[in-house]
Amino acid sequence: MATNKDAKHALVQRGQNAPTKPATPEQTIAAYLKKMAPEIEKALPSHLNAERLGRIALTTIRTTPKLLECNVPSLLGAVMQAAQLGLEPGLIGHCYIIPYGREAQFIIGYKGMIDLARRSGQIQNIYAHAVYEADDFDYELGLNPKLVHKPAPGRRGEMKYVYAVAHFKDGGYQFEVMDTEEIERRRQRSKAANNGPWKTDYEEMAKKTVIRHMWKYLPISIEIQQQAAQDETVRKDVTSEPQSVYSDAIDLEPAAAEDIRESEGGQAPEKAPEEKPKDELDQAMEMKFE
């Protein structure tokens, strides 16, 4: 005859053998924030705390469900990157966080580039516009450069050009014009060429591409240049440095980058340090959310 003791033992065994429910995104993010609390607190900017970091991450996941396939450290690293630049991912287009394999990629949007440029204090106004085939558009370079754009009413046809203009506080100005073929070539160099904002906000990303090309000619500080250079990067976790996944540097053309390598003696880059063995929580962070 079974005793109460036997029944209790059977219930315990059944509980131990029952499949455990997978952690929710909220639980996984909370576990990571708790484990990395000391390092996160050191890295957080003054206007952000761990609780707000978690909330922004969850909001980002809800707007881009594919991020559930990314590991949590890189997701929070991308959120941290946005926060440190004072840009918040969302519908306003300051920046985007999209999947890049199993890691979250940080992308500055058109409005984010505008915001960063204005922080220099030397730019009075900066903007970009798309030109369509029915528009009246003309520009010339040389000693007296000029640009004229009169948008057509009604149906304007296909996009032909995108241009950006920056007016400086000292009275000077700079403008750049790029045709759609050149924009497409630059889009193809992006790892996010076929997803994310290039799919949902093509015109905005085209405007950003022209501003990005004009960036080197703007009177902005080294600090702002470094901030903009974090465009299209991935962070392995909250405390690591961002790594570019875009084929062009924001302030260096490929030829200039080659000159720098030659001036440095053509030395090969140092090998990245070997990764430390991951503990159980780290492995769990890299697993796909169910």
Side-chain angles (χ1 to χ4, degrees), residues 3-283:
T3 64
N4 288 337
K5 185 176 181 181
D6 293 333
K8 289 180 180 179
H9 179 71
L11 289 172
V12 170
Q13 287 293 109
R14 187 182 303 173
Q16 291 176 344
N17 296 330
T20 57
K21 291 183 179 180
T24 64
E26 290 87 348
Q27 291 170 335
T28 309
I29 289 173
Y32 180 81
L33 289 172
K34 182 178 181 180
K35 180 190 175 186
M36 298 289 292
E39 289 79 6
I40 289 174
E41 289 300 329
K42 293 176 186 176
L44 283 172
S46 58
H47 66 278
L48 190 68
N49 55 39
E51 182 181 355
R52 177 164 171 74
L53 181 72
R55 286 202 307 271
I56 295 174
L58 290 172
T59 301
T60 304
I61 287 173
R62 294 187 187 106
T63 57
T64 311
K66 286 284 289 181
L67 285 171
L68 294 175
E69 298 176 8
C70 297
N71 60 65
V72 175
S74 72
L75 172 61
L76 290 177
V79 173
M80 172 74 80
Q81 200 164 339
Q84 288 178 327
L85 296 185
L87 306 174
E88 192 161 319
L91 299 177
I92 59 175
H94 273 172
C95 64
Y96 305 87
I97 297 175
I98 66 170
Y100 174 60
R102 294 188 60 199
E103 295 178 327
Q105 178 183 352
F106 172 76
I107 297 177
I108 300 175
Y110 163 64
K111 293 180 181 178
M113 293 292 288
I114 294 286
D115 185 64
L116 290 177
R118 284 176 173 161
R119 292 180 195 177
S120 68
Q122 302 300 316
I123 295 176
Q124 184 158 345
N125 196 14
I126 181 170
Y127 51 86
H129 290 290
V131 179
Y132 291 83
E133 57 186 351
D135 295 354
D136 180 7
F137 179 70
D138 185 33
Y139 76 98
E140 64 181 46
L141 304 177
L143 294 177
N144 298 292
K146 71 173 185 177
L147 185 150
V148 177
H149 179 208
K150 297 179 180 179
R155 296 181 181 275
R156 299 166 63 192
E158 296 182 359
M159 184 191 298
K160 306 300 288 184
Y161 300 92
V162 176
Y163 66 90
V165 181
H167 296 274
F168 309 143
K169 288 189 174 180
D170 63 3
Y173 66 90
Q174 176 73 34
F175 74 79
E176 292 289 330
V177 179
M178 197 174 289
D179 62 29
T180 51
E181 289 185 6
E182 178 62 21
I183 289 170
E184 274 297 296
R185 283 194 290 270
R186 291 171 182 269
R187 180 183 73 85
Q188 291 297 334
R189 291 203 290 266
S190 169
K191 299 298 183 182
N194 298 311
N195 64 347
W198 276 113
K199 284 291 186 182
T200 60
D201 302 285
Y202 184 91
E203 183 175 319
E204 297 296 290
M205 289 298 288
K207 292 176 183 178
K208 171 208 161 177
T209 299
V210 182
I211 291 178
R212 176 177 177 146
H213 180 65
M214 183 174 66
W215 200 259
K216 65 178 73 64
Y217 304 115
L218 302 183
I220 53 180
S221 66
I222 296 296
E223 180 185 2
I224 299 296
Q225 290 182 24
Q226 291 173 341
Q227 289 178 348
Q230 295 185 40
D231 185 26
E232 298 200 23
T233 54
V234 165
R235 273 184 167 178
K236 299 294 184 182
D237 56 51
V238 173
T239 59
S240 67
E241 291 297 318
Q243 300 176 6
S244 176
V245 293
Y246 186 66
S247 60
D248 282 348
I250 201 165
D251 56 345
L252 291 175
E253 292 297 320
E258 185 66 30
D259 291 341
I260 289 177
R261 284 194 293 271
E262 290 179 359
S263 68
E264 292 175 347
Q267 296 179 354
E270 295 182 3
K271 293 183 178 179
E274 295 183 1
E275 294 186 1
K276 297 179 180 179
K278 300 180 177 65
D279 61 22
E280 292 182 2
L281 182 55
D282 289 331
Q283 293 173 1

